[in-house]
Amino acid sequence: MTVVHLDDYFYRDPGLAPTVPSTGVPGTRIVDFSDPRSIDTGRLCEALARHSETDLLVVEGTFALALPELHRQAAVRAYVDVPPDIRLARKVLRKLEDAAADPQASVRGYLARGRQAHAEHVEPTRARADIVLDGTRSPQALVEDLATFIDLRGPRPPLRPARKARDTSGDGLRPT
């Protein structure tokens, strides 16, 4: 099994992605991590192609079902339903564990755009899912629920090959 984390494919350069005003530095703009267009789908599709021979490829991330490039290729689509208060609490806990992160900026960003972005980009993708999992349960329980669902569906169809994405950065290179 190979796991691809969508967080690894966000643009870091505000010139390549949608931006929002920084909540910490007045007058500056930062990448809007609440918008699926901030994901470098070219690099993501290249990563998926590198793993096309794996038995099981899991792509995890908030926007996994919001990206047409992933939706077309997925053999099974799972939506993890997490109540807003738990989503925010988990985000703050992750930031507290990262000494370089600012939990206050995360909360300000959530209040300014995170809730609305979730309603706009994530909640509608629930309808695209083959299974909806209860995100209040433990990760192990979620894995077991998903494995049971997959087993009940029978043999998996082969993975669909990833399409090569067009370079939109203008320089012909892909950020790493």
Side-chain angles (χ1 to χ4, degrees), residues 39-99:
I39 294 175
D40 183 346
T41 56
R43 279 194 319 121
L44 175 60
C45 287
E46 289 168 6
L48 297 179
R50 283 193 303 273
H51 298 293
S52 64
E53 300 299 318
T54 190
D55 288 339
L56 178 62
L57 177 61
V58 176
V59 179
E60 72 78 30
T62 302
F63 298 124
L65 295 178
L67 299 172
E69 297 84 354
L70 294 180
H71 189 264
R72 285 191 296 266
Q73 296 179 56
V76 176
R77 297 161 194 92
Y79 181 95
V80 181
D81 188 23
V82 183
D85 61 328
I86 294 176
R87 285 195 314 265
L88 179 58
R90 288 176 178 170
K91 180 175 187 138
V92 170
L93 288 172
R94 282 192 307 272
K95 298 300 179 180
L96 289 171
E97 291 172 0
D98 180 355

Side-chain angles (χ1 to χ4, degrees), residues 80-81 86 90 133-142 144-145:
V80 181
D81 188 23
I86 294 176
R90 288 176 178 170
L133 300 168
D134 179 356
T136 64
R137 299 185 67 212
S138 72
Q140 183 59 39
L142 296 177
E144 290 170 6
D145 291 348

Side-chain angles (χ1 to χ4, degrees), residues 75 84 121-122 137 170:
H121 300 296
V122 180
R137 299 185 67 212

